[in-house]
Structures are given as structure tokens and as C-alpha cells.
Amino acid sequence: MKLTILGGGGFRVPLVYGALLADHAEGRVTAVTLYDTDSNRLTAIARVLADQAEGVPDAPAVLATTELDEALRGADFIFSAIRVGGLEGRAADERVALDEGVLGQETVGAGGIAYGLRTVPVAVDLARHIARLAPHAWVINFTNPAGLVTEAMSRYLGDRVIGICDSPVGLGRRIARTLGVDPERARIDYAGLNHLGWVRGLHVDGRDELPRLLADPHLLGSFEEGKLFGTDWLQSLGAIPNEYLHYYYFNREAVRAYQDAEQTRGAFLRDQQEGFYARMKDPAAPAFPAWDRTRAEREATYMSENREVAGVGERDESDLESGGYEQVALALMRAVARDERTSLILNVRNRTTLSVFDADAVVEVPCLVDANGARPVSVDPLPYHAVGLVTAVKAVERGVLDAAASGSRATAVQAFALHPLVDSVSVARRLVDGYTEVHPGLAYLKRP
Ligand code: G6P
Ligand code: MN
């Protein structure tokens, strides 16, 4: 089986390769093609993978290329994990927003819209190429903002594109551990959009264990989300939100903390990764240890401003080991390739799952996966407060998709202005001006 990774020079590719190396079963991936527009990054990552493969007799063969057509032909699975504009672009997304007093996070609020506007045209172009050159391939989209980008690609690839995120899995696992139940046996009732969902139940042998957690302030305050949101707020919501909802529920504090930070997340990662890729130019430098050190530092500082706002302190040991991102991808691939039926929380077209959305809206919900792909299972309706947020954000996403298709500035302004975390139409106008000034990738927004 051939797996192609778009964004193959990306920093998290060794996580995926590490998971593949541990898979020795029939029907596993035997060839990995890394595609990237930057050959230096490809060389660096290929070195890390070579270190990882050492001593593993059946390690998947690795080929690196900057030729898209070559990468796509014959692929059974395609992972799309690109970063349009690089981390420099991410840092600019943050800066422009924070200067306007609004959030610049890469997937939430103004920053997410800017990143979406830059990424959608590129993702659509890739989807078109895939539809032509690898029409039978399954596409797993990691590219953020993952829900929006998956929806953009689904217009060309239908249900052959599936979006993934590790945050619902991580959340479910933390809740299960806190309750002392085996995460493998728990069925998690989660629904929403990517980075905008809630766990409403955790069922083991037909019994919902979540009420037991919500009723116990000691247990509730003992894990990441309990500390981040505070036990009172979780009890009042009656659900456990995805960590990204911290940007909504504590928006003012989060924006202030990000403004006060010495460096934004994007700028920190830009510098950190620049250092890593530069070190890899020295052929004598050990690749895997340098990569792993950089990865560990990235994990340890994840969402540190939000945790600071809430007084959370260090991340739990078990959250630092990763194991989310690559495991979801591998589990999904296995279920499809070997027809091993499993249940995963994924980003797929809604069909009739959540009645507030149309059939083509990509939502993040539990799905049954097998050789036919991923089908959402039926879930309870969302409460009004959640409906309010997810429908407002879906309207914003549709604005981004329309602006990307038409090149209309007015539509882009509308997308920003309708976002619950952008507090004025004037701010939205200035954001579009500010972003088009710094991003060459937004030059297409030239129609009024
Ligand atoms: C979580 C999110 C991903 C994000 C990742 C890394 O896993 O679900 O969407 O890409 O964190 O975040 P970072 O800030 O380190 O780039
Ligand atoms: Mn994610």
C-alpha cells in the first residue's frame, strides 16, 4: 500500500512514520512518498525517518519528491498536512489580529479566518489534482483549519476526504482516565465542529459515566479541561468542552495573555523550527534526537497562555507523549484498508446527523469506519448555546469558501464580521486590509 504525504517536509511527519513502523500486519503501508514544495525540508525530514527506520527490517520505503503528479499517482491513501505561508504566515495571522485586539489563533477567530482564506484555494487545487490523478485514493486531511479545509476539499472529493484532529480523542482519553475507565471501552458522545465541540456523555457498557465526573468537584478539577475551564463552569454547562472553547468562554483573558506574551505561538514555532531545519543541514548532526527534543519542547508549551490564564501549570505527563495525531490517522487508515470496523470522531459531511446543518456541512462527530469510509452515527441534538456558536461559525466558514471561490473582498469582510469573536464590522474591514497587506497569498481578493 502506498501512502503519500502532502506537506511531507512538515515537522510532524516523523510521528506518522513512527506509527507506521509499529504496524507489521497484512495490508500495512509499505511505501511512503513525501511531497513538499521545499526540498530542504524534505531532506531534513527524510533524515529523521531514516534514523527511525534503522534496525526495522520491514520499514516502509521512503521517497521524497517536489513533483505533485508523481506523488499522487498510484497513492492508496493521501495525508494532506500542508501549511500555506509557513509559520511566518501563522505569526502574521496572529500579529494582525492581536493589534486589532482580537484573537489570532490559527483555527479560531480572526486568525483562523485569515489562515482559511489563504489555505482554501491551495487545498481546492490539490483536491482537483487528486480527483484527476488518484480518484480512488482516500484523503485524510490534517491541514488546519481542519473542518473548513475538509469541507472545501469535499466539494471535489465527496466522502473520500475525511478530516481528523487529535483533540477530541485526547479529551475523551483524559475523561476516561480520570473516571478510571479503559478509554478503549468507552463510547464518547461528542458533537460540534472542529475545535468547537463538547463531550456530553461517556458510555461504558451502556452506562453514562460523565454525570459521575460532573458531580465530583475533586475529580473534575483533577484533569486538564477541569483546570482550564474551572469546575463551576463545567458543572453549569453540564458538558466538557474541547480545549479550544477556552478561546470563546475566556476570550478577553486569552486575548490579553496572547498580547502580553513575549512571542506568539506562531513566532515561537517559527524560530524553533528554523533552528531545527538549519541544524539538519549539517550532515554530521544526529537527526532523530534533534527532532525529538524540538517535538518535546513544542508539546510542553502547547496552549501555555491559556493554561497561564487559568493557573493550570504544567501539562500532564500523559498528554506530552503525543500518540493522538498519528494514532487517529493510522486507526482510520487501517479501518478503511482492512475493513476493520471501528468508531472514531472525525470531520465528515453532516448528512442528517445534526439537524441545524445542511447535508454538505462538515461536522466533527463520532463515525463508524470500514472499507466504505466514515459514516456519522446519530447523536443527540446540541443545546441552544452550542447551536448558536456552531451555526455562527459555519456561516463564517461558508463566507470563507465563497470569498475563496469569488475573490470578493466584501464576502471576506462579512466572514470576519460575522464571527462571534470579532466585535465590530469596522474591525473586520481593517482586518481584511491588514491581512491583504501582509499576505501575498491573499492577492486574489481583488473584487469589491
Ligand atoms: C492540537 C490541535 C491541532 C494542532 C496541534 C499543534 O493537537 O488539535 O490542530 O495542530 O495541537 O498545535 P501547535 O500550537 O503546537 O501548532
Ligand atoms: Mn486539531
Side-chain angles (χ1 to χ4, degrees):
M1 231 181 24
K2 170 177 162 176
L3 167 68
T4 290
I5 305 184
L6 307 177
F11 186 77
R12 291 202 284 179
V13 167
L15 291 175
V16 175
Y17 192 65
L20 297 177
L21 283 172
D23 184 9
H24 306 285
E26 180 102 9
R28 73 203 171 86
V29 169
T30 48
V32 179
T33 299
L34 308 178
Y35 163 78
D36 207 287
T37 51
D38 182 333
S39 59
N40 286 329
R41 289 168 65 89
L42 277 176
T43 311
I45 291 301
R47 281 188 56 196
V48 180
L49 305 196
D51 276 9
Q52 288 176 289
E54 209 157 305
V56 184
D58 60 355
V62 177
L63 178 94
T65 177
T66 53
E67 296 296 323
L68 181 61
D69 291 12
E70 181 193 349
L72 295 181
R73 281 208 180 89
D76 299 295
F77 284 91
I78 298 170
F79 286 4
S80 183
I82 60 169
R83 184 175 284 287
V84 178
L87 286 163
E88 190 64 58
R90 178 170 174 180
D93 286 342
E94 294 166 333
R95 204 61 280 148
V96 171
L98 290 172
D99 287 349
E100 277 298 335
V102 293
L103 192 72
Q105 210 280 333
E106 64 162 345
T107 61
V108 181
I113 299 171
Y115 190 28
L117 284 168
R118 292 190 291 113
T119 306
V120 165
V122 181
V124 161
D125 198 50
L126 286 172
R128 283 196 172 125
H129 266 81
I130 294 168
R132 196 160 49 82
L133 294 172
H136 302 298
W138 289 94
V139 181
I140 302 180
N141 178 57
F142 294 97
T143 302
N144 271 330
L148 167 67
V149 170
T150 302
E151 189 165 321
M153 295 180 89
S154 75
R155 293 181 175 182
Y156 300 87
L157 298 167
D159 292 325
R160 290 215 152 245
V161 59
I162 299 167
I164 67 169
C165 175
D166 54 338
S167 65
V169 189
L171 173 57
R173 214 184 281 161
R174 282 191 287 279
I175 297 175
R177 277 199 196 119
T178 308
L179 282 162
V181 306
D182 176 5
E184 300 303 318
R185 289 184 48 222
R187 181 174 67 75
I188 294 142
D189 172 8
Y190 177 95
L193 300 181
N194 179 237
H195 290 187
L196 190 58
W198 296 260
V199 171
R200 298 100 48 91
L202 187 135
H203 303 264
V204 185
D205 299 330
R207 214 182 108 102
D208 186 5
E209 299 282 341
L210 194 66
R212 180 157 69 82
L213 178 65
L214 288 166
D216 183 338
H218 178 72
L219 270 188
L220 198 52
S222 70
F223 74 109
E224 181 83 8
E225 280 73 12
K227 294 178 202 162
L228 194 60
F229 293 103
T231 53
D232 291 353
W233 180 235
L234 295 186
Q235 286 177 326
S236 141
L237 272 178
I240 315 288
N242 183 298
E243 59 197 350
Y244 282 82
L245 272 146
H246 191 258
Y247 292 112
Y248 288 83
Y249 294 143
F250 294 88
N251 182 255
R252 192 179 285 216
E253 293 85 347
V255 169
R256 195 167 305 148
Y258 275 77
Q259 283 173 326
D260 291 348
E262 211 172 289
Q263 251 189 333
T264 61
R265 179 70 174 162
F268 167 76
L269 293 174
R270 176 199 60 204
D271 293 352
Q272 189 206 36
Q273 293 198 9
E274 250 168 38
F276 163 74
Y277 285 100
R279 263 196 308 286
M280 286 305 96
K281 288 193 176 144
D282 169 5
F288 184 80
W291 173 81
D292 199 46
R293 233 180 300 118
T294 313
R295 180 201 61 77
E297 188 190 29
R298 179 184 190 166
E299 297 287 348
T301 52
Y302 175 67
M303 283 187 103
S304 61
E305 276 79 18
N306 305 69
R307 292 205 312 281
E308 210 175 286
V309 163
V312 173
E314 309 271 286
R315 293 186 80 190
D316 273 0
E317 205 59 46
S318 53
D319 291 329
L320 292 175
E321 63 203 25
S322 197
Y325 176 79
E326 65 281 11
Q327 293 309 336
V328 189
L330 196 68
L332 171 57
M333 216 162 50
R334 274 189 191 161
V336 174
R338 300 175 202 163
D339 199 17
E340 281 171 15
R341 180 174 264 233
T342 185
S343 164
L344 295 167
I345 298 168
L346 300 166
N347 288 268
V348 294
R349 293 197 287 190
N350 178 56
R351 302 182 185 200
T352 55
T353 315
L354 291 168
S355 60
V356 292
F357 293 118
D358 58 47
D360 294 338
V362 165
V363 294
E364 192 167 82
V365 288
C367 296
L368 274 181
V369 194
D370 59 21
N372 297 312
R375 275 177 318 282
V377 300
S378 65
V379 294
D380 287 341
L382 291 165
Y384 281 149
H385 68 82
V387 169
L389 285 181
V390 296
T391 51
V393 169
K394 185 53 78 182
V396 171
E397 291 184 357
R398 290 282 163 86
V400 171
L401 295 175
D402 289 351
S406 66
S408 157
R409 254 181 121 83
T411 309
V413 168
Q414 196 188 80
F416 282 100
L418 292 180
H419 199 286
L421 301 182
V422 174
D423 55 346
S424 160
V425 176
S426 323
V427 172
R429 291 194 182 114
R430 288 199 298 271
L431 286 168
V432 171
D433 290 344
Y435 281 129
T436 43
E437 222 164 88
V438 299
H439 290 309
L442 290 180
Y444 73 87
L445 288 174
K446 45 181 178 273
R447 276 191 43 210

